[in-house]
């Protein structure tokens, strides 16, 4: 699978099934050569997969089919770091897919878990854009960032670029659907209104505050907690891994806020003070990037009371650090954030997310000496890079002869 | 002695170190909708360990009256109303005002009448990027009739930048025009054709009349999009427009459609002739066929 992909990448930038190659003896020999070299390639040096993630435009909004294809590309191009999993299906049967970013640790210790999800609300396009940016940033920098590499050896970061795939797809249908918020669950008996507000459907003080029981309303919380497959998928996945989960970040827009649990005005998290200080440290890091202010507080303090949010559910389950990020802006464009702002918005959000992840990591793991393996890895990486360049040149020449 | 210290430390770490929440089991399984929303949960039981006095983490209450926390929603919502007011007064195709920051606020109940806010805020001109400070008062009337808030505001130097030449040029450009102008400002990708920006700004300013009218202590309005623009015949030297506007109301998260008939000229500014709320489109949605 991997090999066929690498063979095609040099020609067609990684579009699956792009070309068929006639299997002459010359081709078989070339294939064998590629087989050996790509086995070495995947352990270091820049490969074709990395090239396709470098050519993806992270400063544009992408429809769902492009995001699915991008996830495949990222995984194929970085198998030592990235794997994927389908952990649920939407109402309309679409895959809910995550990317798991992590490195093997030499001691085979049990790894802890960070969770980042985007796109619970369909119209908040900057959120899936951020999840893609976040993955890209890690993929492109972990080899030269010792701290990041160390963290990835201790933690697996699970990123879901789009949770509400049906809703997101619907916002791309035509101009009149762009501002859809909810899922695309079927109307109730006697109604013709679709969708549930997935961020009111989680099993956390469900249905108590900040919701509507009118299925036509944009804060409709569903028929019961976890009634929606998209929310259910997250609860099932994290539910089985609560003990290892250190941090849960859920990304939204807009408002430039960092929200901590709980959405209920009369319930406080036991680690409220620490949640505030870690949140404020993140906001300070975000401000350094482009001068934007992000306000930190609980939802009832700085926005509005709400219940049934994914953030609240995670905290209630025992995940110590759980935050909602509300990204740019504060009302000039709201959910219709211009593409020119994708990069700055993602840069500052990345700084904030990394700040929280680093704090949580360092609190959990002692700052042991970073593996001296790094030095060895770079040297072998150079050797593989030279070899793979030579092979790529041969492959290019060779494959055209196979046509 | 050394061993004793280790045991002591182990007990402390064992008691305090676990990040797991063992509290509020009844809150977690709330399939029961009749659960009292105001129940205050009990102090956490730490199972199987020594009970240790844990300092209560006091969450800041929301200040509703008296000195307000400027970051909390009551001051923020009142300040947004000031933004809408300033746009109705000073807004133009080349001047749109946004709320930048709330510095301080104070709220009082006015017996049998409503609630009054005093605010110190900073606002920003989105086009020139200049910021300035304003002092404002917002009065939200209570009672059955949906009465609009009343606002007084004084700012350091509004208006600041002279936009007269640009406004005059725009006026001349559209004076003899009459047609449906392609709209969707911004489009799905947040883009606005530079030629259309002044008409987008005009939409924000005209919307501010609606948003000001509709605001209460429980709302936060922004204009989400201009969906459609029709220019009608110029009347009494005023350009005349029919706009279909989408407002976003933050607390309900609803998108509300309005039709706005208004006039504009450089000397007269924006004058709204008619405002009409349109029904929600999703009530008429055909069943999905996939």
């Amino acid at each position: 699978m991997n090999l066929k992909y690498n063979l095609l990448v040099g020609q067609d930038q990684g579009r699956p099934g792009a070309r068929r190659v006639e299997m002459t003896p010359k081709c078989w020999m070339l294939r064998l050569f590629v087989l050996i070299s790509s086995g070495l390639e995947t352990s270091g040096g820049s490969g074709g997969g990395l090239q396709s993630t470098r050519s993806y435009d992270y400063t544009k909004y992408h429809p769902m089919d492009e995001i699915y294809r991008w996830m495949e590309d990222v995984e194929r191009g970085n198998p030592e770091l990235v794997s994927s999993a389908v952990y649920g299906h939407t109402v309309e049967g679409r895959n809910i897919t995550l990317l798991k970013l992590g490195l093997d640790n030499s001691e085979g210790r049990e790894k802890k878990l960070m969770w980042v999800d985007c796109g619970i609300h369909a119209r908040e396009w900057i959120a899936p854009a951020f999840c893609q940016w976040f993955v890209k940033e890690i993929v492109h920098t972990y080899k030269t960032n010792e701290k990041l590499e160390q963290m990835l050896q201790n933690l697996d970061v699970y990123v879901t670029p789009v949770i509400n795939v049906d809703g997101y797809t619907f916002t791309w249908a035509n101009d009149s659907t762009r501002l859809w918020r909810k899922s695309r669950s079927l109307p109730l008996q006697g109604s013709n209104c679709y969708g549930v507000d997935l961020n009111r459907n989680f099993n956390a003080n469900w249905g108590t505050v900040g919701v509507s029981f009118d299925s036509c309303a944009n804060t409709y919380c569903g028929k019961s907690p976890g009634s929606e497959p998209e929310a259910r998928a997250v609860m099932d996945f994290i539910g089985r891994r609560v003990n290892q989960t250190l941090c849960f970040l859920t990304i939204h827009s807009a408002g430039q806020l960092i929200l901590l649990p709980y959405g209920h005005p009369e319930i406080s998290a036991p680690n409220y003070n620490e949640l505030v200080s870690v949140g404020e440290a993140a906001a300070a890091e975000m401000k350094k990037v482009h001068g934007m202010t992000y306000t930190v507080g609980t939802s009832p303090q700085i926005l509005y009371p709400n219940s049934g949010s994914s953030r609240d559910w995670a905290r209630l389950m025992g995940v110590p650090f759980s935050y909602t990020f509300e990204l740019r802006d504060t009302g000039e464009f709201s959910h219709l954030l211009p593409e020119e702002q994708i990069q700055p918005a993602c840069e500052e959000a990345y700084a904030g997310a990394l700040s929280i992840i680093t704090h949580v990591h360092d609190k959990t793991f002692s700052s042991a000496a970073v593996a001296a393996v790094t030095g060895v890895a770079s040297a072998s990486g150079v050797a593989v890079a030279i070899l793979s360049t030579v092979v790529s040149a041969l492959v290019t020449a060779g494959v055209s002869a196979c046509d | 002695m050394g061993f004793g210290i280790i045991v002591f430390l182990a007990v402390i770490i064992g008691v305090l170190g676990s990040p797991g929440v063992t509290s509020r089991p009844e809150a977690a399984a709330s399939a029961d909708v009749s659960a009292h929303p105001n129940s205050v949960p009990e102090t956490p039981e730490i199972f199987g360990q020594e009970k240790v006095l844990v300092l209560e983490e006091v969450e800041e209450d929301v200040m509703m009256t008296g000195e307000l926390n400027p970051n909390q929603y009551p001051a923020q919502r009142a300040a947004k109303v000031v933004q809408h007011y300033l746009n109705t007064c000073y807004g133009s195709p080349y001047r749109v005002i946004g709320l930048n920051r709330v510095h301080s606020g104070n709220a009082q109940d006015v017996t049998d009448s409503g609630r009054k806010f005093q605010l110190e805020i900073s606002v920003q001109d989105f086009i020139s990027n200049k910021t300035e400070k304003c002092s404002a008062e917002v009065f939200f009337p209570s009672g059955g009739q949906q009465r609009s808030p009343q606002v007084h505001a004084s700012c350091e130097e509004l208006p600041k930048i002279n936009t007269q030449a640009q406004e005059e040029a725009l006026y001349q450009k559209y004076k003899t025009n009459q047609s449906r102008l392609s709209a969707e400002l911004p489009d799905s990708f947040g883009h606005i054709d530079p030629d259309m920006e002044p008409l987008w700004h005009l939409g924000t300013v005209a919307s501010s009349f609606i948003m000001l009218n509709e605001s209460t202590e429980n709302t936060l309005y922004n204009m989400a999009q201009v969906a459609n623009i029709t220019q009608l015949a110029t009347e009494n030297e005023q350009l005349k427009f029919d706009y279909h506007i989408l407002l976003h109301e933050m607390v309900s998260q609803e998108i509300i459609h309005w039709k706005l008939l208004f006039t504009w000229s450089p000397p007269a500014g924006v004058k709204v002739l008619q405002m009409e709320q349109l029904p929600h489109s999703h009530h008429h949605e055909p069943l999905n066929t996939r």
Side-chain angles (χ1 to χ4, degrees):
Chain A
M1 251 332 188
N2 247 355
L3 310 169
K4 200 180 290 179
Y5 177 82
N6 280 334
L7 189 66
L8 291 169
V9 148
Q11 311 302 308
D12 285 81
Q13 286 298 310
R15 282 205 313 273
R19 279 163 55 116
R20 292 183 147 276
V21 177
E22 278 279 307
M23 296 308 293
T24 64
K26 203 184 230 174
C27 277
W28 274 112
M29 281 191 48
L30 220 44
R31 285 251 170 136
L32 193 62
F33 209 72
V34 170
L35 194 146
I36 297 165
S37 75
S38 64
L40 293 167
E41 209 173 85
T42 53
S43 65
S46 55
L50 195 63
Q51 185 182 3
S52 67
T53 57
R54 281 195 190 278
S55 65
Y56 189 80
D57 194 343
Y58 294 92
T59 65
K60 292 263 182 286
Y61 295 117
H62 292 271
M64 202 59 216
D65 60 303
E66 286 178 20
I67 297 177
Y68 278 134
R69 202 153 50 229
W70 167 81
M71 284 196 269
E72 289 170 19
D73 288 348
V74 172
E75 183 180 15
R76 281 204 202 95
N78 304 279
E80 73 285 5
L81 173 70
V82 183
S83 60
S84 70
V86 175
Y87 64 100
H89 294 89
T90 64
V91 168
E92 292 176 349
R94 296 185 175 89
N95 286 353
I96 306 174
T97 311
L98 58 78
L99 294 175
K100 174 185 170 187
L101 279 64
L103 297 169
D104 288 335
N105 61 42
S106 41
E107 291 124 63
R109 286 191 303 266
E110 188 203 42
K111 295 184 79 177
K112 296 294 187 182
L113 202 156
M114 301 270 167
W115 174 269
V116 183
D117 70 61
C118 297
I120 282 186
H121 290 136
R123 62 192 180 202
E124 298 168 10
W125 283 14
I126 187 62
F130 171 68
C131 267
Q132 292 165 75
W133 183 279
F134 179 82
V135 168
K136 177 262 292 180
E137 211 46 43
I138 291 178
V139 165
H140 287 175
T141 63
Y142 80 100
K143 286 178 186 157
T144 51
N145 183 330
E146 275 184 20
K147 179 67 185 175
L148 185 58
E149 190 178 45
Q150 179 200 19
M151 293 202 290
L152 291 166
Q153 284 162 349
N154 294 323
L155 306 164
D156 290 322
V157 186
Y158 288 80
V159 183
T160 303
V162 186
I163 294 220
N164 181 7
V165 184
D166 292 348
Y168 185 73
T169 303
F170 187 66
T171 59
W172 282 80
N174 58 60
D175 291 334
S176 73
T177 61
R178 173 62 177 84
L179 291 171
W180 188 259
R181 168 182 167 90
K182 299 189 288 183
S183 69
R184 293 296 294 169
S185 63
L186 294 172
L188 300 178
Q189 196 68 276
S191 163
N192 61 351
C193 293
Y194 285 75
V196 169
D197 185 341
L198 295 174
N199 210 33
R200 302 287 184 276
N201 188 246
F202 284 75
N203 192 8
N205 306 300
W206 179 87
T208 54
V209 72
V211 297
S212 173
F213 290 99
D214 176 356
S215 67
C216 295
N218 262 353
T219 55
Y220 173 54
C221 56
K223 346 186 239 299
S224 61
S227 57
E228 303 312 299
E230 298 87 350
R232 184 91 257 148
V234 176
M235 289 195 283
D236 286 347
F237 189 88
I238 295 288
R240 287 192 290 270
R241 299 166 173 82
V242 173
N243 292 334
Q244 298 102 301
T245 307
L246 298 179
C247 183
F248 186 98
L249 301 181
T250 180
I251 315 296
H252 292 248
S253 74
Q256 293 177 210
L257 309 170
I258 297 177
L259 302 171
L260 28 129
Y262 288 102
H264 195 293
E266 314 234 340
I267 304 176
S268 290
N271 59 340
Y272 170 78
N273 287 344
E274 189 179 15
L275 286 169
V276 170
S277 71
V278 171
E280 297 203 325
E285 288 305 306
M286 292 172 86
K287 192 166 187 141
K288 283 182 194 164
V289 184
H290 297 296
M292 289 300 200
T293 303
Y294 282 72
T295 309
V296 180
T298 66
S299 198
Q301 288 169 343
I302 61 176
L303 185 58
Y304 43 55
N306 68 357
S307 57
S309 68
S310 63
R311 167 204 68 229
D312 282 2
W313 176 83
R315 178 61 270 215
L316 214 51
M317 288 296 288
V319 176
F321 293 89
S322 186
Y323 293 93
T324 307
F325 275 45
E326 295 280 359
L327 301 184
R328 292 193 185 186
D329 65 12
T330 54
E332 189 182 3
F333 292 95
S334 295
H335 303 301
L336 303 180
L337 194 71
E339 287 180 311
E340 308 87 74
Q341 287 199 43
I342 292 178
Q343 177 161 349
C346 288
E347 284 170 342
E348 69 206 14
Y350 184 76
L354 200 63
S355 162
I356 294 174
I357 289 170
T358 305
H359 172 94
V360 176
H361 168 273
D362 290 351
K363 187 181 176 185
T364 312
F365 299 93
S366 66
S367 49
V370 176
V373 173
T374 318
V376 176
S378 330
S380 64
V382 170
V384 171
I386 294 168
L387 180 63
S388 67
T389 314
V390 169
V391 169
S392 305
L394 283 170
V395 165
T396 315
V399 167
S400 55
C402 289
D403 274 8
Chain B
M1 183 61 172
F3 183 67
I5 290 173
I6 291 165
V7 170
F8 176 76
L9 285 171
V11 169
I12 295 297
I13 290 164
V15 166
L16 293 177
S18 165
V21 172
T22 52
S23 61
R24 309 175 186 102
E26 64 279 358
S30 61
D32 179 6
V33 176
S34 62
H36 195 307
N38 290 326
S39 63
V40 178
E42 291 163 7
T43 323
E45 273 282 309
I46 304 166
F47 296 113
Q49 304 282 358
E50 296 263 323
K51 261 197 201 168
V52 171
L53 183 68
V54 178
L55 279 174
E56 204 180 282
E57 308 244 344
V58 179
E59 182 174 317
E60 247 178 68
D61 277 333
V62 178
M63 302 307 299
M64 303 288 295
T65 304
E67 182 76 32
L68 301 176
N69 179 324
N71 287 330
Q72 292 181 351
Y73 74 80
Q76 289 287 328
R77 289 179 195 174
K80 196 59 120 163
V81 176
V82 179
Q83 173 194 309
H84 299 320
Y85 167 79
L86 290 173
N87 276 316
T88 63
C89 295
Y90 303 111
S92 87
Y94 296 94
R95 183 178 300 113
V96 176
I97 291 150
L99 175 64
N100 188 274
R101 239 188 95 184
V102 181
H103 298 289
S104 65
N106 212 290
Q108 302 106 45
D109 290 324
V110 180
T111 334
D112 292 339
S113 181
R115 275 170 51 79
K116 187 165 80 167
F117 286 73
Q118 281 119 8
L119 302 163
E120 298 294 321
I121 65 176
S122 287
V123 298
Q124 182 172 26
D125 179 340
F126 278 142
I127 297 158
S128 70
N129 281 324
K130 303 249 178 233
T131 56
E132 48 215 313
K133 293 205 159 121
C134 301
S135 299
E137 242 180 50
V138 182
F139 176 70
F140 291 106
S142 58
Q145 324 150 314
Q146 285 267 289
R147 278 159 56 217
S148 318
Q150 291 155 38
V151 185
H152 298 284
S154 63
C155 303
E156 282 170 342
E157 275 178 65
L158 270 177
K160 210 165 188 170
I161 302 289
N162 193 322
T163 55
Q164 205 166 352
Q166 291 168 295
E167 291 185 29
E168 193 55 43
L170 187 76
Y171 177 78
Q172 291 303 328
K173 177 179 174 186
Y174 285 100
K175 189 174 179 183
T176 50
N177 186 49
Q178 180 187 326
S179 62
R180 192 185 156 277
L181 302 162
S182 77
E184 286 271 308
L185 309 173
D187 70 11
S188 292
F189 303 90
H191 295 149
I192 301 167
D193 192 347
D195 280 346
M196 295 300 281
E197 272 185 30
L199 293 188
W200 174 58
H201 295 140
L202 199 53
T204 305
V205 173
S207 296
S208 299
F209 286 85
I210 306 173
M211 296 193 283
L212 176 61
N213 253 25
E214 297 292 305
S215 287
T216 69
E217 286 181 82
N218 302 314
T219 60
L220 187 79
Y221 279 100
N222 287 296
M223 184 184 82
Q225 194 182 48
V226 175
N228 195 23
I229 303 176
T230 304
Q231 187 181 3
L232 306 170
T234 299
E235 208 174 84
N236 302 328
E237 307 286 296
Q238 310 296 308
L239 300 184
K240 194 168 179 185
F241 295 99
D242 189 334
Y243 269 52
H244 180 165
I245 300 263
L246 271 52
L247 300 183
H248 174 235
E249 199 289 291
M250 183 76 85
V251 180
S252 63
Q253 290 291 350
E254 295 296 338
I255 300 295
I256 309 164
H257 295 239
W258 283 83
K259 243 168 134 36
L260 250 186
L261 192 65
F262 68 93
T263 61
W264 174 77
S265 69
V270 172
K271 300 269 178 268
V272 174
L273 304 176
Q274 255 176 60
M275 313 192 270
E276 185 194 336
Q277 187 176 337
L278 301 172
H280 284 262
S281 56
H282 63 233
H283 285 299
H284 308 288
E285 211 181 319
L287 278 175
N288 240 10
T289 47
R290 189 185 164 263

